[in-house]
């Protein structure tokens, strides 16, 4: 008896998925061996990040926060499996169109891989492997689901007897298992091949020539309040790198060029031989929503960028520095922000240790007062002195504002939104910042009452956030609490709500809670 078309379609869809899983797994394994940055998933994901509009980036970060990359990879996997399932059905019904779709996925991955900044001659190979394996395995499996034909092309036997269907099911399962094992193997190979991680663990940082002291009174010691220095493991990470670059110290160099009188090239040994400065600075992502946690403060060790720019001697018509990452990301930073008195660093250390790999090892930029998308380039390899009229950074070319100064803001950490608080004496506390300007005061409003001045901890500097607190005699009922900061220049945080795009979110942080 002929098999029901629905059953055949389900088997074909499963075969298409199995072929894609095996192809993807072997493609990832190939990438791990010959071209780690050309992982098929990372290539496609990077391409999607590149073409994403500002609202798309904002939506992803607002929904998933620092898990945005994992969410993107899961989304890509789901999309590719759906396409593979459709290709399997199409291959059974209208061959060779299903094979062409699977082959097209491999070709697209290979083409996109060649557009990446770190592409080389082997970059297309993992995607080609993924596509070729998917085509071959898919064709072999789905061929078993079609009726045999005589020389004239007329079907001569019923479609797919039971044992053949079971064979297709078993073989599809084996392909899925093999693809999963190949993916696990690729992760193991990458882990064993991450030379930068090994080098970093053995690296000893030079002693800083100057440091920024952290007063004991910078910390209020309130449970639930963000610590004034953010542990490296808790520091937010937002960038475009789906595969974290592994940079070889022996070949790393920084090139300063463009509108300069003298091009300068600095190696790692050159950099660590220079007098180091340890400073404390707060970094904030432009995608940080009001009350969000895409912000952190760390001790940074490095070289003032102005010292290296002084060697290169920017010309009078230069007004911007376009920094380049090894992964192709660029940021457009105002030249004056890198040459004024602020501690803009080429950082090599974070919280007393070499930079974590995911935070830019071996060298990244730290520029107080600017959102990260125009200043905090990780894995930096070039500083191109240029003009805003001539060049744009990665995100500014996608609609974000050109200069990105941080706006005054504050956040409530204690109590948490939706919390149940016991009536009586308690505390409201949080952090406030206006990077490179400083915070003069914070006020808290409970329900629609008068604004209450908060007690400020001692600020480390104008480049860091500051903790604040207000005692509260909480009464039973539901209450709304909001806060606002005033900067050292007298600018008060605006009540007007605005989304992060194109130049940073605004509004007062507000929460509602119940007092029992």
């Amino acid at each position: 008896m002929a098999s029901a078309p629905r059953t055949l379609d389900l088997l074909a869809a499963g075969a298409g998925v199995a072929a894609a899983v095996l192809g993807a797994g072997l493609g990832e394994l190939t990438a791990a061996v010959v071209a780690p940055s050309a992982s098929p998933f990372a290539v496609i994901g990077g391409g999607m990040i590149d073409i994403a509009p500002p609202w798309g980036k904002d939506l992803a970060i607002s929904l998933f926060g620092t898990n945005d990359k994992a969410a993107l990879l899961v989304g890509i996997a789901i999309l590719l499996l759906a396409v593979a399932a459709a290709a399997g059905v199409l291959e059974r019904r209208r061959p060779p169109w299903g094979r062409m779709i699977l082959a097209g996925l491999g070709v697209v991955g290979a083409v996109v891989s060649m557009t990446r900044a770190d592409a080389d001659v082997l970059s297309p190979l993992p995607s080609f492997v993924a596509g070729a394996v998917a085509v071959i395995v898919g064709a072999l499996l789905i061929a078993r689901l079609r009726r045999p034909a005589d020389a004239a092309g007329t079907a001569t036997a019923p479609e797919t007897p039971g044992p053949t269907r079971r064979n297709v099911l078993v073989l599809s399962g084996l392909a899925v298992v093999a693809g999963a094992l190949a993916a696990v193997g690729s992760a193991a190979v990458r882990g064993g091949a991450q030379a930068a991680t090994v080098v970093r663990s053995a690296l000893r940082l030079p002693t800083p020539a100057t440091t920024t002291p952290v007063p004991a009174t910078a910390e209020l010691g309130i449970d639930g309040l963000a610590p004034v220095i953010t542990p490296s493991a808790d520091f937010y990470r937002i960038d475009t790198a789906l595969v974290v670059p592994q940079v070889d110290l022996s070949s790393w160099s920084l090139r300063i060029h463009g509108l300069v009188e003298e091009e300068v090239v600095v190696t790692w040994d050159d950099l660590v031989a220079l007098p180091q400065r340890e400073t404390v600075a707060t970094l904030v992502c432009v995608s940080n929503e009001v009350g969000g946690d895409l912000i952190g403060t760390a001790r940074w060790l490095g070289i003032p960028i102005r010292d290296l720019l002084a060697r290169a001697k920017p010309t009078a018509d230069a007004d911007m520095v376009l920094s380049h990452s090894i992964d192709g990301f660029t940021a457009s930073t105002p030249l004056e922000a890198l040459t004024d008195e602020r501690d803009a660093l080429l950082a090599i250390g974070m919280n007393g240790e070499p930079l974590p790999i995911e935070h830019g090892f071996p060298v990244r930029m730290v520029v107080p007062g600017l959102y990260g998308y125009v200043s905090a380039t990780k894995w930096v390899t070039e500083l191109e002195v240029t003009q805003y009229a001539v060049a744009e950074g990665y995100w500014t070319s996608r609609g974000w504002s050109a200069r990105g100064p941080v706006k005054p803001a504050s956040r409530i950490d204690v109590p948490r939104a939706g919390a149940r608080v016991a009536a009586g004496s308690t505390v409201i506390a949080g952090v406030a910042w206006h990077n490179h300007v400083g915070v003069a005061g914070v006020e808290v409003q409970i329900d629609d009452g008068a604004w209450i001045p908060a007690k400020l901890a001692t600020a480390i500097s104008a480049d860091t956030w500051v903790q604040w607190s207000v005692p509260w005699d909480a009464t039973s009922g539901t209450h709304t609490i909001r806060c606002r900061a005033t900067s050292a220049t007298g600018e008060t945080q605006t009540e007007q709500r605005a989304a992060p795009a194109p130049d940073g979110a605004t509004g007062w942080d507000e929460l509602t809670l119940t007092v029992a």
Side-chain angles (χ1 to χ4, degrees):
M1 181 184 224
S3 299
R6 179 178 177 82
T7 300
L8 292 173
D9 281 347
L10 288 174
L11 286 168
V17 167
V21 170
L22 181 57
L26 291 176
E28 292 295 318
L29 185 58
T30 303
V33 173
V34 303
S37 65
S39 151
F41 271 109
V43 163
I44 294 173
M48 293 179 70
I49 291 173
D50 287 350
I51 63 175
W55 63 262
K57 170 180 177 285
D58 255 5
L59 178 63
I61 293 175
S62 65
L63 290 175
F64 304 109
T66 54
N67 294 316
D68 59 332
K69 295 176 183 61
L72 174 62
L73 291 175
V74 170
I76 291 170
I78 292 172
L79 177 61
L80 291 180
L81 292 178
V83 171
V89 174
L90 190 60
E91 178 66 15
R92 187 189 79 81
R93 294 182 178 183
R94 295 286 187 272
W97 289 106
R99 277 171 281 170
M100 293 178 68
I101 290 174
L102 294 175
L105 292 175
V107 171
V108 168
V111 171
V112 174
S113 73
M114 291 304 297
T115 68
R116 312 303 294 172
D118 51 357
D120 59 30
V121 68
L122 293 176
S123 292
L125 183 59
S127 292
F128 276 136
V129 168
V133 170
V135 168
I136 294 169
V137 173
L140 292 175
L141 290 175
I142 296 168
R144 293 170 173 263
L145 300 176
R146 291 195 297 270
R147 284 187 274 187
D150 59 20
T154 304
T156 61
E159 283 188 327
T160 321
T164 301
R165 292 200 303 271
R166 286 194 291 273
N167 289 345
V168 171
L169 193 60
V170 170
L171 291 173
S172 294
L174 290 174
V176 169
V177 171
L181 290 175
V184 171
S186 72
V189 171
R190 281 197 181 93
Q194 289 179 347
T197 302
V198 176
V199 171
R200 178 189 175 274
S201 64
L203 193 63
R204 295 294 175 265
L205 293 175
T207 302
T210 58
T211 62
T212 299
V214 177
T217 49
E219 194 81 58
L220 293 178
I222 297 172
D223 287 344
L225 180 58
V228 69
I229 300 294
T230 309
S232 299
D234 298 334
F235 207 94
Y236 78 94
R237 179 197 164 200
I238 298 292
D239 52 55
T240 62
L242 290 178
V243 175
V244 177
Q246 296 283 314
V247 182
D248 182 3
L249 281 187
S250 65
S251 61
W252 177 88
S253 65
L254 178 77
R255 178 180 171 228
I256 304 174
H257 61 102
L259 298 178
V260 296
E261 294 180 18
E262 182 180 343
E263 185 171 311
V264 173
V265 176
V266 180
T267 67
W268 172 259
D269 288 341
D270 296 332
L271 200 66
V272 297
L274 296 171
Q276 305 289 315
R277 168 134 181 87
E278 186 182 69
T279 188
V280 183
T282 297
L283 301 186
V284 57
C285 179
V286 71
S287 295
N288 197 41
E289 298 279 358
V290 173
D293 60 0
L294 299 181
I295 180 172
T297 301
R299 294 177 177 269
W300 305 99
L301 178 72
I303 306 299
I305 297 175
R306 61 175 172 268
D307 293 351
L308 295 178
L309 287 174
R311 292 189 190 182
K313 303 181 183 66
T315 58
D317 54 342
D319 62 6
M320 187 261 277
V321 173
L322 190 69
S323 52
H324 297 251
S325 169
I326 198 170
D327 74 340
F329 175 82
T330 57
S332 52
T333 309
L335 178 60
E336 66 266 21
L338 301 178
T339 54
D340 63 16
E341 83 293 344
R342 80 186 75 195
D343 284 328
L345 298 181
L346 283 173
I348 62 173
M350 180 180 185
N351 291 335
E353 297 182 343
L355 285 174
I357 303 293
E358 64 273 17
H359 286 292
F361 180 85
V363 183
R364 66 168 295 164
M365 290 174 61
V366 172
V367 185
L370 302 177
Y371 289 117
Y373 79 104
V374 294
S375 67
T377 302
K378 301 173 184 176
W379 313 289
V380 63
T381 58
E382 290 182 46
L383 298 180
E384 179 185 354
V385 182
T386 182
Q387 298 174 320
Y388 279 104
V390 173
E392 291 182 303
Y394 183 93
W395 286 115
T396 53
S397 67
R398 289 161 171 79
W400 295 79
S401 64
R403 296 175 180 267
V406 175
K407 299 174 180 179
S410 56
R411 186 183 78 195
I412 302 169
D413 284 357
V414 180
R416 297 293 182 186
R420 293 186 66 85
V421 177
S425 180
T426 186
V427 66
I428 303 167
V431 289
W433 61 91
H434 193 186
N435 305 36
H436 198 57
V437 176
V439 174
V442 174
E443 297 170 293
V444 171
Q445 185 183 54
I446 302 169
D447 300 323
D448 292 318
W451 286 95
I452 305 167
K455 170 190 174 183
L456 296 185
T458 303
I460 299 172
S461 75
D463 293 336
T464 64
W465 62 8
V466 60
Q467 296 181 344
W468 57 264
S469 68
V470 169
W472 180 31
D473 186 12
T475 58
S476 298
T478 300
H479 298 281
T480 298
I481 303 171
R482 55 186 66 89
C483 64
R484 67 184 184 190
T486 299
S487 71
T489 56
E491 180 182 359
T492 299
Q493 179 182 346
T494 180
E495 179 184 8
Q496 186 66 43
R497 283 270 175 171
D503 59 0
T506 61
W508 295 340
D509 191 19
E510 179 179 297
L511 61 84
T512 300
L513 53 81
T514 300
V515 176

